[in-house]
Amino acid sequence: MPAHCPEPGGSPVHTDPAQVREFFAARAANWETRYPDDAPAYEAAVSAMRLRYGMTVLDAGCGTGRALPFLRADVGPDGLVIGADLTPEMLAAAAGKGRHRYGALLLADVARLPLCDGGVDAVFAAGLIGHLPDPGAALRELARVTGPRGLLALFHPIGRAALAARQGRELTEDDLRAQHNLRPLLAASGWTLTEYTDTDDRFLALASATLPTNA
């Protein structure tokens, strides 16, 4: 099935992404200089997805495209890698670093993707979920584009406690990425949480798309 369609399927999502775009636009040029040592964590997270040659994989909210070389290495030359981001400045930074050689760069809101139903096999999403105006709607959209056997990886190069400390805030029970909150959110959005890791040096939640009852 082709990865791109003229119109996305699913119900329209009404959110205002302007603040997210503004936040990242101001930081795009220097984003990787702020976090220069994250590449090994990205590589390990992609490896944990156990992708196969020939797969189509979407990097949702790809930013400067750090994951794209690792995704390309795992799906091989016959696979398809797409890096989608809401912020033109982030995609420009990705292209400036040569990351367009590893995957197609797509300017798009992950809550309304110009991709066919079931057009991709897996989604990698680094640091995405905390910046989504409507996490449930975006997760449903990612379930739509992967289809009933899709794979999702929600990743951050540091864990929840370390991130809270970096941001100067306390880690609370209502944290969206806490397992007791994330599992039901995923379940309500078409995903089943299969693996969950939250340590100082990595956050990684792996999920599989929920199969229809008649599958």
Side-chain angles (χ1 to χ4, degrees):
M1 181 179 293
H4 291 77
C5 287
E7 293 292 336
S11 302
V13 178
H14 303 288
T15 62
D16 179 9
Q19 289 183 332
V20 176
R21 186 185 294 115
E22 182 180 1
F23 176 88
F24 284 105
R27 294 161 174 80
N30 298 315
W31 186 255
E32 292 194 28
T33 62
R34 299 173 66 192
Y35 312 110
D37 303 320
D38 287 348
Y42 275 78
E43 184 175 18
V46 170
S47 178
M49 296 176 72
R50 298 179 286 275
L51 300 172
R52 300 186 302 277
Y53 264 42
M55 277 186 164
T56 295
V57 59
L58 169 68
D59 186 352
C62 67
T64 59
R66 283 193 172 190
L68 298 183
F70 308 122
L71 295 170
R72 169 58 64 196
D74 280 13
V75 302
D78 294 331
L80 177 62
V81 178
I82 304 167
D85 202 274
L86 181 68
T87 307
E89 291 84 354
M90 280 288 190
L91 294 177
K97 295 178 183 300
R99 306 258 168 78
H100 61 291
R101 296 193 297 266
Y102 302 100
L105 300 179
L106 174 67
L107 180 64
D109 186 343
V110 300
R112 188 169 176 79
L113 289 162
L115 302 175
C116 294
D117 293 0
V120 304
D121 300 300
V123 175
F124 180 82
L128 175 70
I129 193 168
H131 294 282
L132 294 172
D134 186 341
L139 289 169
R140 287 191 295 275
E141 177 70 346
L142 295 178
R144 178 189 71 79
V145 301
T146 60
R149 298 185 185 276
L151 172 67
L152 171 67
L154 301 175
F155 164 72
H156 200 282
I158 59 176
R160 294 188 307 119
L163 181 60
R166 173 188 287 179
Q167 296 173 341
R169 60 179 174 84
E170 291 187 3
L171 191 60
T172 61
E173 285 295 306
D174 62 354
D175 184 89
L176 184 63
R177 296 185 303 155
Q179 188 171 2
H180 63 267
N181 295 322
L182 185 60
R183 185 183 295 276
L185 173 64
L186 287 167
S189 307
W191 298 96
T192 299
L193 184 66
T194 57
E195 295 183 37
Y196 184 89
T197 302
D198 181 21
T199 61
D200 282 346
D201 58 359
R202 181 166 77 166
F203 174 88
L204 182 63
L206 299 179
S208 59
T210 304
L211 288 171
T213 55
N214 60 350

